[in-house]
């Protein structure tokens, strides 16, 4: 189940209800512990999976499922993004345990909201790529950051804040320039903890170092960054007075 990006108020109503009903909750690290403290019922068994292997996690879930009707695995953001979701579901399926996935607000969305940025902008970019740079997990063929960055769309880079040098190399090789803007948001949506750093491909590494940002951060590279301050903007057709759609007729401008 997704806990959202960090702000306890950004958990879904459904997830909140399930936390209340849960007999046991296994949460992933410090990012989501607060949601448990806030919503879990008294007597609920709560554990942190930080030091556990995948086998230990699934063993814990399976054993709790034999005692409780509702057992929750709580993860940051949305469980379908870098959440080892399928690796955890398969052993549950094999054990005949019924499961369901509850989506959550990803940190990519919280990061953009924190900085008042839009992932898409008319006639600038209409596509978003969620990716990461290669770390210990190898990237499948055709998915290197250099390959993806050539599209010049919005790129949200997870799990890459310690690899900013690789990000820079890949972006430059893909045709971006040193002056192109980069946004880094650490602990997006965390009350009192969120940090927003704006820079360029050339200086973002240095700026993050100065702010001591080495974990829990989203990197966004996009031709739409900073659009809030642009004087000339292609407006969305949806709200254009001359554009007819299902709910509104175009004005006659003759
Ligand atoms: N499922 C999560 C992502 C898990 S991978 C989601 O949908 O958000 C962990 C990575 O997510 C971190 O390395 C960081 O890049 C990003 N991340 C998680 N929480 C974050 C937050 N509150 N602010 C910024 N980035 C965050």
């Amino acid at each position: 189940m997704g806990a959202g990006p960090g702000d306890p108020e950004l958990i879904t109503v459904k997830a909140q209800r399930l936390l209340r009903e849960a007999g046991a909750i296994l949460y992933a690290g410090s990012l989501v512990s607060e949601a448990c403290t806030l919503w879990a019922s008294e007597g609920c068994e709560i554990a942190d999976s930080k030091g556990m292997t995948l086998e230990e996690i699934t063993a814990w879930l399976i054993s709790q499922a034999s005692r409780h009707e509702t057992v929750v695995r709580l993860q940051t953001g949305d469980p379908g993004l870098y959440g080892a979701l399928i690796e955890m579901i398969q052993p549950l399926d094999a054990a005949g345990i019924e499961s369901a996935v509850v989506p959550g607000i990803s940190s990519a969305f919280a990061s953009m909201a924190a900085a008042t940025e839009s992932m898409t902008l008319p006639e600038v970019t209409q596509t978003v790529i969620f990716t990461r740079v290669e770390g210990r997990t190898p990237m499948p063929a055709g998915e290197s950051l250099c390959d993806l960055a050539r599209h010049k769309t919005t790129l949200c880079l997870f799990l890459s804040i310690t690899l900013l040098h690789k990000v820079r190399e890949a972006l430059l090789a893909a045709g971006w320039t040193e002056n192109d803007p980069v946004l880094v948001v650490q602990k997006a949506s965390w009350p009192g903890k969120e940090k927003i750093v704006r820079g360029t491909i050339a200086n973002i590494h240095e700026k993050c170092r100065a702010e001591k940002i080495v974990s829990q951060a989203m990197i966004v590279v996009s031709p739409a960054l900073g659009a809030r301050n642009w004087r000339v903007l292609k407006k969305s057709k949806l709200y254009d007075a001359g554009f007819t759609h299902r709910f509104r007729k175009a004005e006659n401008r003759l």
Side-chain angles (χ1 to χ4, degrees):
M1 185 165 95
D7 180 348
E9 286 189 340
L10 287 179
I11 197 163
T12 63
V13 174
K14 182 164 192 163
Q16 194 181 323
R17 171 176 64 77
L18 288 166
L19 284 178
R20 267 199 217 102
E21 288 172 10
I25 302 168
L26 184 62
Y27 68 89
S30 58
L31 272 172
V32 293
S33 61
E34 190 158 347
C36 302
T37 328
L38 281 175
W39 313 117
S41 300
E42 245 184 74
C44 175
E45 286 187 55
I46 302 176
D48 185 352
S49 64
K50 202 163 47 198
M52 294 184 181
T53 62
L54 189 69
E55 288 70 29
E56 287 164 347
I57 288 173
T58 48
W60 194 94
L61 294 172
I62 290 168
S63 91
Q64 295 293 344
S66 66
R67 288 197 286 279
H68 305 285
E69 197 164 324
T70 306
V71 177
V72 167
R73 163 69 178 156
L74 193 65
Q75 294 175 264
T76 56
D78 183 85
L81 281 169
Y82 311 106
L85 173 64
I86 302 305
E87 291 106 297
M88 277 185 278
I89 291 286
Q90 281 187 347
L92 299 183
D93 286 346
I97 292 165
E98 207 188 313
S99 62
V101 179
V102 179
I105 297 178
S106 172
S107 57
F109 297 110
S111 297
M112 293 301 264
T116 315
E117 294 287 357
S118 180
M119 291 195 181
T120 61
L121 204 64
E123 295 180 42
V124 175
T125 180
Q126 295 285 284
T127 305
V128 186
I129 296 176
F130 289 166
T131 189
R132 58 176 299 172
V133 282
E134 187 163 83
R136 272 172 299 178
T137 308
M139 293 301 279
E143 290 191 29
S144 73
L145 183 57
C146 181
D147 287 334
L148 299 173
R150 281 188 223 283
H151 295 283
K152 295 280 178 82
T153 63
T154 295
L155 296 162
C156 295
L157 305 179
F158 292 74
L159 299 160
S160 303
I161 194 64
T162 57
L163 301 167
L164 274 170
H165 56 287
K166 279 197 182 179
V167 173
R168 177 171 168 274
E169 258 167 43
L171 292 172
L172 293 178
W176 294 71
T177 66
E178 297 273 20
N179 287 330
D180 285 326
V182 181
L183 168 72
V184 168
V185 184
Q186 186 183 41
K187 295 197 169 178
S189 87
W190 278 66
K193 299 248 171 81
E194 181 179 274
K195 271 191 193 169
I196 300 175
V197 179
R198 290 178 186 274
T200 61
I201 291 177
N203 69 18
I204 195 70
H205 197 169
E206 195 45 49
K207 285 191 160 189
C208 286
R209 204 176 337 204
E211 292 283 338
K212 299 190 171 60
I213 297 177
V214 290
S215 66
Q216 294 167 349
M218 179 68 50
I219 306 164
V220 182
V221 188
S222 168
L225 284 179
R228 186 184 196 177
N229 300 315
W230 294 358
R231 279 189 298 129
V232 184
L233 207 59
K234 299 266 191 219
K235 298 261 166 54
S236 167
K237 295 264 187 291
L238 191 60
Y239 303 111
D240 188 330
F243 186 69
T244 301
H245 62 72
R246 202 149 63 89
F247 303 108
R248 184 167 45 72
K249 273 231 154 60
E251 283 166 21
N252 186 344
R253 290 167 156 190
L254 289 176

